[in-house]
Amino acid sequence: MRKKISKTKRRLGVIVNYLSLIIVVILFYIVKHEGWHNLMITGMFAALLLTVITFITVHLKTGLWKFVHTKIEQLDEREIQVTHESLRYSYSILSVILLVIIFIMSLAATGNDVLGPVLPTSLIYLAHTLPSSVIAWTENEISHG
């Protein structure tokens, strides 16, 4: 079922989604380095829960996830243009983010276990949600069902 939410609420959802994802990553690497403390673990899982809730609200319930993952043959001309623009912006942004992260990690590298599983997984998530986030951010109406 597609849920209609305002552009402002979608934008807020995108911001909260990515901020909570960043918190998950940061807390994971803090506890990995400093040790597993209950407060940090609780914070990390709370941020993860918030990431999941905002993903469901912004990307799944609105139909945006399905929209940006629909085969081009099933889209009309306007929908093709919207998804094209979202992909263009998304992957430009992703490229810059990845380059900055890789650069920072190369400066901070102290051992063989620099990346671990959380950062690459989070970056894959970012790559898949950026197109629908761009649509959530820019479009007044979403008319894909």
Side-chain angles (χ1 to χ4, degrees):
M1 176 183 298
R2 202 164 58 102
K3 180 180 175 185
K4 194 168 192 158
I5 59 174
S6 71
K7 186 186 218 180
T8 302
K9 287 183 180 178
R10 290 191 317 255
R11 285 181 172 181
L12 179 61
V14 168
I15 290 168
V16 171
N17 183 260
Y18 289 140
L19 284 176
S20 60
L21 182 65
I22 290 167
I23 291 168
V24 169
V25 173
I26 290 170
L27 290 177
F28 175 82
Y29 286 102
I30 288 173
V31 298
K32 186 175 178 187
H33 185 264
E34 301 293 325
W36 294 88
H37 304 288
N38 287 338
L39 183 60
M40 291 290 202
I41 294 169
T42 302
M44 187 171 64
F45 283 109
L48 181 61
L49 180 63
L50 189 56
T51 303
V52 170
I53 290 168
T54 54
F55 168 76
I56 291 168
T57 303
V58 174
H59 299 282
L60 292 183
K61 286 188 176 180
T62 62
L64 288 169
W65 177 268
K66 183 179 177 187
F67 177 52
V68 298
H69 288 86
T70 299
K71 292 182 180 182
I72 197 166
E73 299 84 23
Q74 297 174 338
L75 301 174
D76 65 27
E77 199 170 306
R78 181 190 168 281
E79 292 171 334
I80 291 170
Q81 185 63 31
V82 168
T83 56
H84 171 76
E85 286 299 304
S86 75
L87 290 168
R88 187 171 67 86
Y89 284 117
S90 297
Y91 292 113
S92 296
I93 293 166
L94 182 64
S95 297
V96 171
I97 291 170
L98 289 175
L99 289 172
V100 169
I101 289 171
I102 291 167
F103 176 73
I104 290 170
M105 291 186 82
S106 69
L107 291 176
T110 57
N112 293 333
D113 191 25
V114 176
L115 286 178
V118 173
L119 185 61
T121 303
S122 297
L123 294 175
I124 290 168
Y125 171 82
L126 184 64
H128 284 283
T129 60
L130 270 175
S132 58
S133 293
V134 168
I135 294 170
W137 191 270
T138 60
E139 293 299 304
N140 289 324
E141 294 288 327
I142 302 166
S143 61
H144 181 74

PDB file of all heavy atoms in Angstrom, residues 17-18 21 25 55 65 69 90-91 94 97-98 101 115-132:
ATOM      1  N   ASN A  17      17.060   9.356   8.251  1.00  0.00           N
ATOM      2  CA  ASN A  17      17.534   8.046   7.808  1.00  0.00           C
ATOM      3  C   ASN A  17      19.042   8.034   7.656  1.00  0.00           C
ATOM      4  O   ASN A  17      19.722   7.152   8.194  1.00  0.00           O
ATOM      5  CB  ASN A  17      16.844   7.680   6.491  1.00  0.00           C
ATOM      6  CG  ASN A  17      17.222   6.311   6.004  1.00  0.00           C
ATOM      7  OD1 ASN A  17      18.060   6.177   5.125  1.00  0.00           O
ATOM      8  ND2 ASN A  17      16.606   5.291   6.567  1.00  0.00           N
ATOM      9  N   TYR A  18      19.583   8.997   6.951  1.00  0.00           N
ATOM     10  CA  TYR A  18      21.025   9.003   6.724  1.00  0.00           C
ATOM     11  C   TYR A  18      21.817   9.401   7.971  1.00  0.00           C
ATOM     12  O   TYR A  18      22.896   8.863   8.212  1.00  0.00           O
ATOM     13  CB  TYR A  18      21.397   9.882   5.531  1.00  0.00           C
ATOM     14  CG  TYR A  18      20.982   9.264   4.213  1.00  0.00           C
ATOM     15  CD1 TYR A  18      20.449  10.037   3.204  1.00  0.00           C
ATOM     16  CD2 TYR A  18      21.113   7.901   3.981  1.00  0.00           C
ATOM     17  CE1 TYR A  18      20.068   9.476   1.997  1.00  0.00           C
ATOM     18  CE2 TYR A  18      20.729   7.332   2.781  1.00  0.00           C
ATOM     19  CZ  TYR A  18      20.214   8.127   1.789  1.00  0.00           C
ATOM     20  OH  TYR A  18      19.844   7.562   0.599  1.00  0.00           O
ATOM     21  N   LEU A  21      21.954   6.329  10.077  1.00  0.00           N
ATOM     22  CA  LEU A  21      22.902   5.380   9.482  1.00  0.00           C
ATOM     23  C   LEU A  21      24.344   5.785   9.807  1.00  0.00           C
ATOM     24  O   LEU A  21      25.172   4.941  10.158  1.00  0.00           O
ATOM     25  CB  LEU A  21      22.704   5.299   7.967  1.00  0.00           C
ATOM     26  CG  LEU A  21      23.605   4.311   7.232  1.00  0.00           C
ATOM     27  CD1 LEU A  21      23.307   2.883   7.666  1.00  0.00           C
ATOM     28  CD2 LEU A  21      23.423   4.468   5.731  1.00  0.00           C
ATOM     29  N   VAL A  25      27.244   3.618  11.980  1.00  0.00           N
ATOM     30  CA  VAL A  25      28.618   3.364  11.526  1.00  0.00           C
ATOM     31  C   VAL A  25      29.625   3.908  12.530  1.00  0.00           C
ATOM     32  O   VAL A  25      30.565   3.207  12.929  1.00  0.00           O
ATOM     33  CB  VAL A  25      28.860   3.974  10.124  1.00  0.00           C
ATOM     34  CG1 VAL A  25      30.318   3.862   9.720  1.00  0.00           C
ATOM     35  CG2 VAL A  25      27.963   3.288   9.084  1.00  0.00           C
ATOM     36  N   PHE A  55      13.543   4.075   6.729  1.00  0.00           N
ATOM     37  CA  PHE A  55      13.617   3.419   5.414  1.00  0.00           C
ATOM     38  C   PHE A  55      12.230   2.927   5.009  1.00  0.00           C
ATOM     39  O   PHE A  55      11.777   3.156   3.880  1.00  0.00           O
ATOM     40  CB  PHE A  55      14.600   2.251   5.444  1.00  0.00           C
ATOM     41  CG  PHE A  55      14.507   1.366   4.226  1.00  0.00           C
ATOM     42  CD1 PHE A  55      15.050   1.775   3.017  1.00  0.00           C
ATOM     43  CD2 PHE A  55      13.860   0.153   4.294  1.00  0.00           C
ATOM     44  CE1 PHE A  55      14.936   0.978   1.886  1.00  0.00           C
ATOM     45  CE2 PHE A  55      13.749  -0.648   3.173  1.00  0.00           C
ATOM     46  CZ  PHE A  55      14.290  -0.234   1.965  1.00  0.00           C
ATOM     47  N   TRP A  65      10.919   3.126  -3.373  1.00  0.00           N
ATOM     48  CA  TRP A  65      11.884   2.032  -3.580  1.00  0.00           C
ATOM     49  C   TRP A  65      11.499   1.246  -4.835  1.00  0.00           C
ATOM     50  O   TRP A  65      12.321   0.986  -5.697  1.00  0.00           O
ATOM     51  CB  TRP A  65      11.904   1.132  -2.343  1.00  0.00           C
ATOM     52  CG  TRP A  65      12.796  -0.055  -2.475  1.00  0.00           C
ATOM     53  CD1 TRP A  65      12.441  -1.298  -2.928  1.00  0.00           C
ATOM     54  CD2 TRP A  65      14.181  -0.124  -2.187  1.00  0.00           C
ATOM     55  NE1 TRP A  65      13.528  -2.131  -2.914  1.00  0.00           N
ATOM     56  CE2 TRP A  65      14.617  -1.430  -2.459  1.00  0.00           C
ATOM     57  CE3 TRP A  65      15.112   0.788  -1.701  1.00  0.00           C
ATOM     58  CZ2 TRP A  65      15.923  -1.840  -2.280  1.00  0.00           C
ATOM     59  CZ3 TRP A  65      16.409   0.380  -1.511  1.00  0.00           C
ATOM     60  CH2 TRP A  65      16.805  -0.915  -1.801  1.00  0.00           C
ATOM     61  N   HIS A  69      13.312   1.064  -8.749  1.00  0.00           N
ATOM     62  CA  HIS A  69      13.778  -0.272  -9.123  1.00  0.00           C
ATOM     63  C   HIS A  69      12.882  -0.923 -10.181  1.00  0.00           C
ATOM     64  O   HIS A  69      13.000  -2.114 -10.448  1.00  0.00           O
ATOM     65  CB  HIS A  69      13.884  -1.165  -7.877  1.00  0.00           C
ATOM     66  CG  HIS A  69      15.022  -0.787  -6.990  1.00  0.00           C
ATOM     67  ND1 HIS A  69      14.910   0.185  -6.026  1.00  0.00           N
ATOM     68  CD2 HIS A  69      16.294  -1.219  -6.949  1.00  0.00           C
ATOM     69  CE1 HIS A  69      16.079   0.320  -5.413  1.00  0.00           C
ATOM     70  NE2 HIS A  69      16.933  -0.514  -5.950  1.00  0.00           N
ATOM     71  N   SER A  90      22.278  11.046  -7.742  1.00  0.00           N
ATOM     72  CA  SER A  90      22.662  10.103  -6.701  1.00  0.00           C
ATOM     73  C   SER A  90      24.071   9.570  -6.887  1.00  0.00           C
ATOM     74  O   SER A  90      24.861   9.525  -5.947  1.00  0.00           O
ATOM     75  CB  SER A  90      21.688   8.929  -6.662  1.00  0.00           C
ATOM     76  OG  SER A  90      20.410   9.378  -6.340  1.00  0.00           O
ATOM     77  N   TYR A  91      24.370   9.143  -8.076  1.00  0.00           N
ATOM     78  CA  TYR A  91      25.679   8.544  -8.297  1.00  0.00           C
ATOM     79  C   TYR A  91      26.791   9.581  -8.374  1.00  0.00           C
ATOM     80  O   TYR A  91      27.936   9.272  -8.068  1.00  0.00           O
ATOM     81  CB  TYR A  91      25.639   7.577  -9.480  1.00  0.00           C
ATOM     82  CG  TYR A  91      24.783   6.396  -9.096  1.00  0.00           C
ATOM     83  CD1 TYR A  91      23.570   6.142  -9.706  1.00  0.00           C
ATOM     84  CD2 TYR A  91      25.153   5.578  -8.021  1.00  0.00           C
ATOM     85  CE1 TYR A  91      22.767   5.087  -9.292  1.00  0.00           C
ATOM     86  CE2 TYR A  91      24.351   4.532  -7.604  1.00  0.00           C
ATOM     87  CZ  TYR A  91      23.167   4.293  -8.239  1.00  0.00           C
ATOM     88  OH  TYR A  91      22.372   3.259  -7.814  1.00  0.00           O
ATOM     89  N   LEU A  94      27.257   9.983  -4.614  1.00  0.00           N
ATOM     90  CA  LEU A  94      27.887   8.782  -4.089  1.00  0.00           C
ATOM     91  C   LEU A  94      29.364   8.729  -4.457  1.00  0.00           C
ATOM     92  O   LEU A  94      30.200   8.364  -3.623  1.00  0.00           O
ATOM     93  CB  LEU A  94      27.171   7.532  -4.602  1.00  0.00           C
ATOM     94  CG  LEU A  94      27.711   6.204  -4.075  1.00  0.00           C
ATOM     95  CD1 LEU A  94      27.524   6.099  -2.570  1.00  0.00           C
ATOM     96  CD2 LEU A  94      27.039   5.045  -4.781  1.00  0.00           C
ATOM     97  N   ILE A  97      31.229  11.035  -2.123  1.00  0.00           N
ATOM     98  CA  ILE A  97      31.259  10.479  -0.766  1.00  0.00           C
ATOM     99  C   ILE A  97      32.258   9.326  -0.679  1.00  0.00           C
ATOM    100  O   ILE A  97      33.066   9.249   0.250  1.00  0.00           O
ATOM    101  CB  ILE A  97      29.848  10.019  -0.337  1.00  0.00           C
ATOM    102  CG1 ILE A  97      28.944  11.223  -0.131  1.00  0.00           C
ATOM    103  CG2 ILE A  97      29.909   9.164   0.932  1.00  0.00           C
ATOM    104  CD1 ILE A  97      27.468  10.870   0.069  1.00  0.00           C
ATOM    105  N   LEU A  98      32.209   8.420  -1.645  1.00  0.00           N
ATOM    106  CA  LEU A  98      33.116   7.271  -1.627  1.00  0.00           C
ATOM    107  C   LEU A  98      34.571   7.698  -1.736  1.00  0.00           C
ATOM    108  O   LEU A  98      35.437   7.159  -1.031  1.00  0.00           O
ATOM    109  CB  LEU A  98      32.765   6.291  -2.743  1.00  0.00           C
ATOM    110  CG  LEU A  98      31.473   5.522  -2.557  1.00  0.00           C
ATOM    111  CD1 LEU A  98      31.172   4.677  -3.789  1.00  0.00           C
ATOM    112  CD2 LEU A  98      31.506   4.663  -1.322  1.00  0.00           C
ATOM    113  N   ILE A 101      35.620   9.116   1.624  1.00  0.00           N
ATOM    114  CA  ILE A 101      35.773   8.051   2.616  1.00  0.00           C
ATOM    115  C   ILE A 101      37.034   7.237   2.355  1.00  0.00           C
ATOM    116  O   ILE A 101      37.799   6.945   3.278  1.00  0.00           O
ATOM    117  CB  ILE A 101      34.527   7.145   2.647  1.00  0.00           C
ATOM    118  CG1 ILE A 101      33.357   7.910   3.270  1.00  0.00           C
ATOM    119  CG2 ILE A 101      34.798   5.858   3.421  1.00  0.00           C
ATOM    120  CD1 ILE A 101      32.028   7.187   3.157  1.00  0.00           C
ATOM    121  N   LEU A 115      38.368  -1.697   6.880  1.00  0.00           N
ATOM    122  CA  LEU A 115      36.982  -1.532   6.451  1.00  0.00           C
ATOM    123  C   LEU A 115      35.980  -2.283   7.310  1.00  0.00           C
ATOM    124  O   LEU A 115      35.008  -1.722   7.763  1.00  0.00           O
ATOM    125  CB  LEU A 115      36.819  -1.952   4.985  1.00  0.00           C
ATOM    126  CG  LEU A 115      37.376  -0.989   3.954  1.00  0.00           C
ATOM    127  CD1 LEU A 115      37.197  -1.563   2.559  1.00  0.00           C
ATOM    128  CD2 LEU A 115      36.711   0.363   4.047  1.00  0.00           C
ATOM    129  N   GLY A 116      36.186  -3.554   7.516  1.00  0.00           N
ATOM    130  CA  GLY A 116      35.199  -4.342   8.239  1.00  0.00           C
ATOM    131  C   GLY A 116      33.899  -4.419   7.448  1.00  0.00           C
ATOM    132  O   GLY A 116      33.803  -3.908   6.342  1.00  0.00           O
ATOM    133  N   PRO A 117      32.861  -5.023   8.017  1.00  0.00           N
ATOM    134  CA  PRO A 117      31.621  -5.242   7.257  1.00  0.00           C
ATOM    135  C   PRO A 117      30.638  -4.076   7.258  1.00  0.00           C
ATOM    136  O   PRO A 117      29.827  -3.955   6.355  1.00  0.00           O
ATOM    137  CB  PRO A 117      31.002  -6.444   7.974  1.00  0.00           C
ATOM    138  CG  PRO A 117      31.456  -6.293   9.387  1.00  0.00           C
ATOM    139  CD  PRO A 117      32.848  -5.717   9.296  1.00  0.00           C
ATOM    140  N   VAL A 118      30.679  -3.202   8.272  1.00  0.00           N
ATOM    141  CA  VAL A 118      29.628  -2.199   8.427  1.00  0.00           C
ATOM    142  C   VAL A 118      29.724  -1.083   7.394  1.00  0.00           C
ATOM    143  O   VAL A 118      28.718  -0.720   6.777  1.00  0.00           O
ATOM    144  CB  VAL A 118      29.636  -1.626   9.863  1.00  0.00           C
ATOM    145  CG1 VAL A 118      28.662  -0.475   9.998  1.00  0.00           C
ATOM    146  CG2 VAL A 118      29.288  -2.717  10.852  1.00  0.00           C
ATOM    147  N   LEU A 119      30.893  -0.530   7.175  1.00  0.00           N
ATOM    148  CA  LEU A 119      31.010   0.575   6.226  1.00  0.00           C
ATOM    149  C   LEU A 119      30.672   0.152   4.797  1.00  0.00           C
ATOM    150  O   LEU A 119      29.853   0.804   4.150  1.00  0.00           O
ATOM    151  CB  LEU A 119      32.403   1.210   6.297  1.00  0.00           C
ATOM    152  CG  LEU A 119      32.580   2.451   5.420  1.00  0.00           C
ATOM    153  CD1 LEU A 119      31.612   3.551   5.826  1.00  0.00           C
ATOM    154  CD2 LEU A 119      34.009   2.939   5.500  1.00  0.00           C
ATOM    155  N   PRO A 120      31.231  -0.937   4.283  1.00  0.00           N
ATOM    156  CA  PRO A 120      30.839  -1.328   2.918  1.00  0.00           C
ATOM    157  C   PRO A 120      29.342  -1.620   2.787  1.00  0.00           C
ATOM    158  O   PRO A 120      28.711  -1.242   1.800  1.00  0.00           O
ATOM    159  CB  PRO A 120      31.663  -2.592   2.649  1.00  0.00           C
ATOM    160  CG  PRO A 120      32.815  -2.492   3.576  1.00  0.00           C
ATOM    161  CD  PRO A 120      32.307  -1.788   4.791  1.00  0.00           C
ATOM    162  N   THR A 121      28.755  -2.255   3.787  1.00  0.00           N
ATOM    163  CA  THR A 121      27.322  -2.535   3.760  1.00  0.00           C
ATOM    164  C   THR A 121      26.523  -1.243   3.756  1.00  0.00           C
ATOM    165  O   THR A 121      25.553  -1.089   3.014  1.00  0.00           O
ATOM    166  CB  THR A 121      26.927  -3.404   4.973  1.00  0.00           C
ATOM    167  OG1 THR A 121      27.701  -4.603   4.942  1.00  0.00           O
ATOM    168  CG2 THR A 121      25.447  -3.733   4.959  1.00  0.00           C
ATOM    169  N   SER A 122      26.949  -0.287   4.560  1.00  0.00           N
ATOM    170  CA  SER A 122      26.268   1.006   4.610  1.00  0.00           C
ATOM    171  C   SER A 122      26.395   1.748   3.284  1.00  0.00           C
ATOM    172  O   SER A 122      25.458   2.411   2.841  1.00  0.00           O
ATOM    173  CB  SER A 122      26.842   1.865   5.739  1.00  0.00           C
ATOM    174  OG  SER A 122      26.601   1.246   6.973  1.00  0.00           O
ATOM    175  N   LEU A 123      27.534   1.637   2.641  1.00  0.00           N
ATOM    176  CA  LEU A 123      27.722   2.298   1.343  1.00  0.00           C
ATOM    177  C   LEU A 123      26.866   1.654   0.255  1.00  0.00           C
ATOM    178  O   LEU A 123      26.337   2.351  -0.617  1.00  0.00           O
ATOM    179  CB  LEU A 123      29.202   2.296   0.957  1.00  0.00           C
ATOM    180  CG  LEU A 123      30.100   3.143   1.862  1.00  0.00           C
ATOM    181  CD1 LEU A 123      31.557   2.976   1.469  1.00  0.00           C
ATOM    182  CD2 LEU A 123      29.690   4.605   1.830  1.00  0.00           C
ATOM    183  N   ILE A 124      26.706   0.354   0.316  1.00  0.00           N
ATOM    184  CA  ILE A 124      25.814  -0.322  -0.633  1.00  0.00           C
ATOM    185  C   ILE A 124      24.377   0.151  -0.404  1.00  0.00           C
ATOM    186  O   ILE A 124      23.639   0.444  -1.343  1.00  0.00           O
ATOM    187  CB  ILE A 124      25.932  -1.855  -0.486  1.00  0.00           C
ATOM    188  CG1 ILE A 124      27.301  -2.316  -1.001  1.00  0.00           C
ATOM    189  CG2 ILE A 124      24.803  -2.563  -1.233  1.00  0.00           C
ATOM    190  CD1 ILE A 124      27.651  -3.746  -0.648  1.00  0.00           C
ATOM    191  N   TYR A 125      23.970   0.246   0.857  1.00  0.00           N
ATOM    192  CA  TYR A 125      22.648   0.770   1.193  1.00  0.00           C
ATOM    193  C   TYR A 125      22.481   2.177   0.632  1.00  0.00           C
ATOM    194  O   TYR A 125      21.470   2.507   0.017  1.00  0.00           O
ATOM    195  CB  TYR A 125      22.477   0.778   2.712  1.00  0.00           C
ATOM    196  CG  TYR A 125      21.237   1.507   3.172  1.00  0.00           C
ATOM    197  CD1 TYR A 125      19.998   0.881   3.163  1.00  0.00           C
ATOM    198  CD2 TYR A 125      21.311   2.817   3.600  1.00  0.00           C
ATOM    199  CE1 TYR A 125      18.864   1.545   3.569  1.00  0.00           C
ATOM    200  CE2 TYR A 125      20.179   3.487   4.012  1.00  0.00           C
ATOM    201  CZ  TYR A 125      18.958   2.852   3.994  1.00  0.00           C
ATOM    202  OH  TYR A 125      17.826   3.511   4.388  1.00  0.00           O
ATOM    203  N   LEU A 126      23.467   3.028   0.822  1.00  0.00           N
ATOM    204  CA  LEU A 126      23.427   4.395   0.323  1.00  0.00           C
ATOM    205  C   LEU A 126      23.249   4.411  -1.192  1.00  0.00           C
ATOM    206  O   LEU A 126      22.428   5.168  -1.722  1.00  0.00           O
ATOM    207  CB  LEU A 126      24.714   5.128   0.722  1.00  0.00           C
ATOM    208  CG  LEU A 126      24.819   6.602   0.377  1.00  0.00           C
ATOM    209  CD1 LEU A 126      23.766   7.397   1.139  1.00  0.00           C
ATOM    210  CD2 LEU A 126      26.208   7.109   0.720  1.00  0.00           C
ATOM    211  N   ALA A 127      23.973   3.565  -1.889  1.00  0.00           N
ATOM    212  CA  ALA A 127      23.871   3.511  -3.348  1.00  0.00           C
ATOM    213  C   ALA A 127      22.454   3.144  -3.793  1.00  0.00           C
ATOM    214  O   ALA A 127      21.960   3.660  -4.789  1.00  0.00           O
ATOM    215  CB  ALA A 127      24.873   2.499  -3.910  1.00  0.00           C
ATOM    216  N   HIS A 128      21.789   2.278  -3.044  1.00  0.00           N
ATOM    217  CA  HIS A 128      20.452   1.838  -3.445  1.00  0.00           C
ATOM    218  C   HIS A 128      19.343   2.782  -3.015  1.00  0.00           C
ATOM    219  O   HIS A 128      18.269   2.773  -3.621  1.00  0.00           O
ATOM    220  CB  HIS A 128      20.176   0.433  -2.910  1.00  0.00           C
ATOM    221  CG  HIS A 128      20.889  -0.619  -3.686  1.00  0.00           C
ATOM    222  ND1 HIS A 128      20.464  -1.043  -4.912  1.00  0.00           N
ATOM    223  CD2 HIS A 128      22.019  -1.302  -3.424  1.00  0.00           C
ATOM    224  CE1 HIS A 128      21.287  -1.956  -5.373  1.00  0.00           C
ATOM    225  NE2 HIS A 128      22.256  -2.134  -4.481  1.00  0.00           N
ATOM    226  N   THR A 129      19.558   3.581  -1.986  1.00  0.00           N
ATOM    227  CA  THR A 129      18.500   4.481  -1.525  1.00  0.00           C
ATOM    228  C   THR A 129      18.640   5.909  -2.027  1.00  0.00           C
ATOM    229  O   THR A 129      17.673   6.668  -1.960  1.00  0.00           O
ATOM    230  CB  THR A 129      18.420   4.508   0.010  1.00  0.00           C
ATOM    231  OG1 THR A 129      19.667   4.967   0.547  1.00  0.00           O
ATOM    232  CG2 THR A 129      18.057   3.144   0.567  1.00  0.00           C
ATOM    233  N   LEU A 130      19.798   6.298  -2.530  1.00  0.00           N
ATOM    234  CA  LEU A 130      19.958   7.673  -3.010  1.00  0.00           C
ATOM    235  C   LEU A 130      18.980   8.042  -4.128  1.00  0.00           C
ATOM    236  O   LEU A 130      18.409   9.133  -4.091  1.00  0.00           O
ATOM    237  CB  LEU A 130      21.404   7.934  -3.452  1.00  0.00           C
ATOM    238  CG  LEU A 130      22.331   8.450  -2.360  1.00  0.00           C
ATOM    239  CD1 LEU A 130      23.757   8.564  -2.876  1.00  0.00           C
ATOM    240  CD2 LEU A 130      21.882   9.778  -1.797  1.00  0.00           C
ATOM    241  N   PRO A 131      18.743   7.197  -5.136  1.00  0.00           N
ATOM    242  CA  PRO A 131      17.792   7.612  -6.176  1.00  0.00           C
ATOM    243  C   PRO A 131      16.388   7.913  -5.642  1.00  0.00           C
ATOM    244  O   PRO A 131      15.803   8.938  -5.983  1.00  0.00           O
ATOM    245  CB  PRO A 131      17.775   6.417  -7.141  1.00  0.00           C
ATOM    246  CG  PRO A 131      19.102   5.778  -6.956  1.00  0.00           C
ATOM    247  CD  PRO A 131      19.412   5.930  -5.497  1.00  0.00           C
ATOM    248  N   SER A 132      15.850   7.048  -4.787  1.00  0.00           N
ATOM    249  CA  SER A 132      14.512   7.326  -4.257  1.00  0.00           C
ATOM    250  C   SER A 132      14.544   8.486  -3.268  1.00  0.00           C
ATOM    251  O   SER A 132      13.561   9.217  -3.121  1.00  0.00           O
ATOM    252  CB  SER A 132      13.873   6.084  -3.642  1.00  0.00           C
ATOM    253  OG  SER A 132      14.641   5.542  -2.611  1.00  0.00           O
TER     254      SER A 132
END
